[in-house]
Amino acid sequence: MGNEDLLKIAKNARIRSVCPLSSYAVGAALLAKSGTVYIGTNIEDKVIMSLANCAERVAIQNAITHGDKEILKIAVVGGKKDSNYLDNTVPCGACLQYMLNLDENIEVIFYNDGEVCVKKVKDFFVQPFKLD
C-alpha cells in the first residue's frame, strides 16, 4: 500500500473525530506487517481533558487489539474540524514515544507545506528515552 493511499484513509478517519474542546480533527491510518490497515481519530472528552486520546495511539491500540503488533507505517493528517485544509500535522511527543517503544523504524507519513513527507520515528528525536 502506498503512502498516498494511507493518507487518503487517514483523511476519511479524520471525519469521525470528536474534538469539542480544540476543534482540531486528526486522523491516522496504520499499515501493519500483515497488510491490514487500522484507523484512529482523536477523541476528546469535553468534561475531563486528560481523557482525550490521540488518533495515532487509537490506531495503534486498534491494531494491537486485533493481534497486529508489527507496524510498518502510519499516516497522520489534521486540521480544523470544519475545514478541508490540512495543517502540517506530526504526532505529538507522547505518540512518538509510544511508537518508539514499539519499533523505532516505523515510518510516519505526513504533509509539510502540501508535500508528502516520510520520517522514521527515531528521526524525530535528538536523544530518545530508552530503558535499555
Side-chain angles (χ1 to χ4, degrees):
M1 170 161 299
N3 294 343
E4 290 285 354
D5 297 321
L6 272 182
L7 285 165
K8 183 177 179 180
I9 295 168
K11 289 175 192 176
N12 286 330
R14 180 179 169 270
I15 295 167
R16 295 181 178 93
S17 173
V18 178
C19 51
L21 299 173
S22 68
S23 296
Y24 196 83
V26 179
L30 173 158
L31 177 63
K33 187 175 181 182
S34 68
T36 304
V37 175
Y38 298 93
I39 64 169
T41 189
N42 60 319
I43 303 168
E44 299 174 355
D45 184 275
K46 63 182 177 181
V47 178
I48 304 173
M49 284 184 62
S50 63
L51 294 180
N53 291 294
C54 295
E56 301 90 330
R57 282 182 277 161
V58 170
I60 292 166
Q61 291 163 358
N62 189 7
I64 292 171
T65 298
H66 286 89
D68 269 329
K69 295 181 181 175
E70 295 183 64
I71 299 164
L72 299 178
K73 50 189 169 180
I74 186 167
V76 182
V77 297
K80 284 296 187 183
K81 178 71 173 173
D82 297 324
S83 173
N84 289 328
Y85 176 78
L86 297 174
D87 292 330
N88 298 335
T89 302
V90 296
C92 70
C95 287
L96 287 169
Q97 183 68 46
Y98 197 77
M99 287 185 256
L100 182 78
N101 295 345
L102 294 170
D103 183 346
E104 67 182 14
N105 291 306
I106 294 170
E107 291 183 347
V108 180
I109 306 154
F110 57 97
Y111 288 113
N112 185 22
D113 294 330
E115 299 292 322
V116 176
C117 293
V118 181
K119 285 178 79 168
K120 291 185 184 235
V121 170
K122 66 182 177 184
D123 296 331
F124 282 92
F125 292 91
V126 173
Q127 181 63 43
F129 174 79
K130 294 184 179 182
L131 290 177
D132 49 341

